[in-house]
Amino acid sequence: MPPTPATALDNRALIRAFRLAAQLLELHEENPFKIRAYEGTANALEQLSVPVAELERTGLPDRTGLSKTAAAKVAEMLDTGSFEELTRLLNSTPPGIVELLKVKGIGPKKIRSLWKELGIEGPEQLREAAERDEVSKLKGFGKKTQDAILAALEFTNQSQGKLLYPQAEELAEGLAEHLRKVPGVEQVAVTGEVRRRLEIVETVQLVVATTQPAAVHTALGKLQDLMAEPQRSGPFAWRGSAAASGVKVELIFTAPADFANQLLLHSAAEAHLSEALPEAKPGQPATLRQWLKRERFTSEPELYQRAGLQYVEPELREGLGELELAHAHKLPELLQDTDLRGSLHNHSTYSDGSHSLREMATFLRDQGYEYLGICDHSQAAHYANGLSPERVRQQQREIDQLNQELAPFRIFKGIEADILGDGSLDYSATVLETFDFVVASVHSNLKMDERKATARILRAIENPYTTMLGHPTGRLLLRREGYPLNHKAVIDACAQHNVIIEINANPWRLDLDWRWVRYALAQGVQLSINPDAHHTNGYADMRYGVLMGRKGGLTKAMTFNAKPAEEVAAYFAQRKAGIKPPLEFKDSLFS
């Protein structure tokens, strides 16, 4: 049985556990009613906004709406880290088969066929069988499925030992909190890829100012969640990995007096540290790395000032021209979380969201925001309960009623319209014109080559009803690659047709990629930080979109949902009327 959890499980962990139980039941061809029961429990948990771990165990049925049987399993999971049936299923399933359940695109039924008919019990065996062309010969597979399995396995293999930014941040901050309690530790800072806000993290790194490195080594040795690599460690560093994810973990020990130097040294890309400083004076260091070797600083801003530079935020330290801008004191004031005034691109129970329109609106209002853009799925998204034209009208009537009741809070009538295979949008013009704004997104036929995928997106951008382009590449980080796009052509078209591009803030997406933010700004394209929230908890993801925007140099002026409600309403109205709003938002920094 899994060990008792050291910390309370959050709702997401509970949902994953019950979904896994349903998958394992299907894998073993057990009672279909049980499968539906576990899926129902997961769905019920997904709709809750209250942390289940904080509820009294005896009150779970009343507070969650779960049956007494399901609530008992949830309580058992909270108290022990598992529940009896999940433990039984895991004990009767080879670990490699459980791993295969994580590979995108291979369901329990296909995995069972591979297991029982070919004797495959793990990813490597499956790869070998597919390379021998054995998988394609199984009933229900074929060559196309075999090729897709090989591609999915390769992508999964490349994702091993990597974490999404939020997971890495949580690991790093938890480790920092633990180390601050160790005797002799004076300062701890998260550095490396996490401090630079990379969307995917391969090494979680911290700098520790301590007078007793041996005490830190001892404290780390007591953490069961970490695995040390003694051959790569020493008196001035601890190196190893996280047991659960395999991500590398590195701790750099430094004397307290050298903390600021080490902090900057480990919070910048090599290109930032080694790039020649603009107009370096004779006799002075020519790079930041040389400055760090020559002098001891008390803070990072002091170093930049000494080098004649504007302070560079950690997320900009990538060696992408930021030192030239810092020398000219032209770095932008980056977007802040508090700059956002509303949330656009969100879902409700009208399609595949967990909360009603009223609940999504009042929750956002109570968080201090001014407006909600509701963008449920369009009719082609059958898997997501997409809205027929009649249901669109029904939702819009409810929005009118809620706007009267909740004023001055405002709900904008939006839709996430599927971009169909030929680039057209998933409604007639008579339906599209009823929305305040339209987010156009691709959800199907993701296998196009770059030429076809780009042409498809360009046609959607040219549609006069497209207000905003949603998650441009359709990528799911560490799960699947996005479809290939000519980003320059897409951004240029958005500039020409006055289409906003979203930075989808869901940590699995973070799409538009931050590497294209600066180019978008240079073309005068506004960006919108959209959480794509399907649950009230999803609004919190806007923070990750802000971080990615900042990494690309995004400012408040160029962020569409940093505008107050009346400006957003006026923009939508002007655009619907065919009036092109003035490009007053263009940021001269990137012109």
Side-chain angles (χ1 to χ4, degrees):
M1 178 173 288
T4 301
T7 56
L9 296 171
D10 63 17
N11 288 13
R12 289 171 297 181
L14 293 171
I15 293 164
R16 286 195 297 270
F18 282 91
R19 289 237 162 91
L20 175 59
Q23 286 182 304
L24 291 170
L25 285 168
E26 186 175 357
L27 176 76
H28 290 284
E29 295 186 332
E30 295 198 22
N31 191 326
F33 295 103
K34 274 191 177 182
I35 297 172
R36 287 197 291 273
Y38 281 124
E39 289 173 343
T41 299
N43 292 336
L45 289 168
E46 201 167 41
Q47 295 177 28
L48 299 174
S49 54
V50 60
V52 178
E54 297 178 7
L55 302 177
E56 289 289 337
R57 303 293 188 259
T58 56
L60 284 176
D62 291 335
R63 296 292 304 276
T64 63
L66 296 172
S67 68
K68 289 183 179 180
T69 301
K73 287 181 170 60
V74 169
E76 185 181 355
M77 182 84 193
L78 290 170
D79 293 336
T80 69
S82 187
F83 53 90
E84 184 178 357
E85 187 144 46
L86 177 58
T87 301
R88 175 184 69 80
L89 289 163
L90 288 171
N91 287 340
S92 61
T93 309
I97 293 293
V98 179
E99 285 298 308
L100 285 176
L101 289 169
K102 300 176 185 177
V103 178
K104 193 164 184 66
I106 317 176
K109 291 181 179 179
K110 277 190 164 55
I111 292 172
R112 179 178 174 81
S113 295
L114 294 164
W115 178 21
K116 297 301 181 181
E117 296 183 39
L118 291 182
I120 289 169
E121 293 192 356
E124 192 54 39
Q125 285 181 300
L126 176 56
R127 183 194 308 278
E128 291 171 0
E131 288 173 346
R132 293 194 299 265
D133 197 27
E134 295 175 358
V135 173
S136 66
K137 297 177 174 61
L138 286 177
K139 184 179 180 181
F141 283 79
K143 188 70 166 60
K144 186 175 180 181
T145 299
Q146 180 174 269
D147 290 343
I149 286 173
L150 279 170
L153 287 170
E154 178 61 26
F155 191 76
T156 300
N157 185 56
Q158 293 173 2
S159 300
Q160 294 298 314
K162 300 177 184 179
L163 291 177
L164 298 180
Y165 174 82
Q167 299 165 333
E169 182 186 48
E170 182 180 8
L171 174 60
E173 294 295 349
L175 192 52
E177 183 179 354
H178 178 78
L179 291 173
R180 291 186 183 105
K181 301 172 184 176
V182 176
V185 171
E186 296 191 12
Q187 292 187 83
V188 180
V190 176
T191 55
E193 297 163 9
V194 176
R195 191 160 187 243
R196 284 162 47 211
R197 316 299 192 188
L198 291 178
E199 67 273 34
I200 295 174
V201 173
E202 297 184 39
T203 302
V204 171
Q205 186 186 73
L206 295 89
V207 168
V208 183
T210 179
T211 57
Q212 301 179 40
V216 181
H217 273 283
T218 300
L220 292 169
K222 296 178 181 178
L223 295 177
Q224 296 181 354
D225 295 339
L226 296 181
M227 296 186 298
E229 295 182 34
Q231 70 277 14
R232 297 181 58 241
S233 303
F236 305 108
W238 183 99
R239 294 183 177 89
S241 60
S245 63
V247 72
K248 294 177 183 177
V249 178
E250 181 178 56
L251 280 78
I252 308 299
F253 306 138
T254 183
D258 294 324
F259 182 74
N261 283 46
Q262 292 296 316
L263 177 61
L264 196 146
L265 185 66
H266 293 93
S267 298
E270 179 58 35
H272 182 81
L273 295 170
S274 302
E275 182 179 333
L277 295 172
E279 300 180 25
K281 296 178 181 178
Q284 286 192 341
T287 67
L288 291 177
R289 183 178 288 281
Q290 290 177 10
W291 274 105
L292 289 167
K293 287 183 177 179
R294 192 176 91 164
E295 294 186 21
R296 177 180 284 164
F297 299 93
T298 60
S299 69
E300 291 176 308
E302 182 188 3
L303 164 65
Y304 285 104
Q305 184 179 20
R306 187 85 172 85
L309 301 171
Q310 181 184 357
Y311 178 69
V312 181
E313 295 287 352
E315 49 264 62
L316 293 179
R317 300 174 190 169
E318 296 292 337
L320 298 175
E322 67 274 4
L323 290 182
E324 192 72 41
L325 293 170
H327 176 71
H329 288 259
K330 290 185 177 179
L331 285 174
E333 183 176 344
L334 299 178
L335 179 71
Q336 302 281 345
D337 290 345
T338 52
D339 292 331
L340 301 185
R341 308 288 286 271
S343 177
L344 301 167
H345 188 175
N346 306 281
H347 298 263
S348 75
T349 50
Y350 271 94
S351 62
D352 61 344
S354 297
H355 295 291
S356 69
L357 180 55
R358 175 185 291 275
E359 288 169 328
M360 292 295 285
T362 55
F363 184 93
L364 192 64
R365 177 201 62 184
D366 294 345
Q367 298 299 306
Y369 291 92
E370 297 178 17
Y371 52 88
L372 163 70
I374 197 68
C375 290
D376 279 304
H377 285 283
S378 60
Q379 58 188 349
H382 303 295
Y383 59 90
N385 194 29
L387 275 63
S388 65
E390 176 51 42
R391 293 182 64 231
V392 167
R393 288 189 288 272
Q394 178 187 347
Q395 185 184 65
Q396 291 181 352
R397 286 193 295 268
E398 183 177 349
I399 290 172
D400 289 336
Q401 295 169 358
L402 286 171
N403 276 336
Q404 290 185 9
E405 179 184 335
L406 301 179
F409 185 84
R410 175 78 178 266
I411 303 172
F412 290 106
K413 300 170 182 174
I415 195 73
E416 186 177 18
D418 267 32
I419 300 174
L420 304 179
D422 62 357
S424 61
L425 298 188
D426 182 28
Y427 285 118
S428 66
T430 55
V431 176
L432 290 171
E433 67 184 6
T434 67
F435 299 107
D436 294 319
F437 72 112
V438 173
V439 175
S441 304
V442 169
H443 292 107
S444 60
N445 195 5
L446 307 180
K447 301 297 184 181
M448 289 183 173
D449 60 27
E450 181 177 308
R451 182 184 63 81
K452 289 183 178 179
T454 301
R456 177 187 191 181
I457 298 294
L458 293 180
R459 185 180 177 198
I461 291 169
E462 293 166 2
N463 190 305
Y465 292 103
T466 298
T467 319
M468 191 179 300
L469 179 62
H471 45 72
T473 72
R475 73 183 186 184
L476 292 176
L477 296 169
L478 302 183
R479 289 184 177 177
R480 73 173 183 224
E481 292 183 293
Y483 37 84
L485 278 186
N486 182 331
H487 278 82
K488 187 176 183 296
V490 168
I491 292 170
D492 289 347
C494 286
Q496 178 184 351
H497 296 281
N498 201 34
V499 170
I500 301 160
I501 301 177
E502 80 169 10
I503 297 179
N504 190 294
N506 184 309
W508 290 102
R509 293 190 183 275
L510 300 178
D511 184 18
L512 180 72
D513 190 294
W514 65 266
R515 295 162 185 82
W516 285 99
V517 167
R518 183 176 293 194
Y519 183 78
L521 299 180
Q523 308 314 306
V525 176
Q526 297 180 78
L527 302 176
S528 184
I529 307 297
N530 292 348
D532 198 354
H534 288 66
H535 188 289
T536 53
N537 290 346
Y539 292 133
D541 286 346
M542 284 195 284
R543 172 175 178 264
Y544 305 119
V546 169
L547 293 177
M548 293 304 110
R550 285 172 59 89
K551 193 158 184 61
L554 183 59
T555 62
K556 177 181 178 180
M558 292 296 288
T559 304
F560 184 73
N561 60 316
K563 305 182 189 309
E566 57 270 20
E567 286 189 32
V568 170
Y571 182 97
F572 289 157
Q574 286 180 324
R575 205 174 189 290
K576 284 186 66 175
I579 301 171
K580 187 173 183 179
L583 290 179
E584 58 186 284
F585 313 107
K586 192 163 184 176
D587 194 322
S588 60
L589 170 64
F590 299 115
S591 301

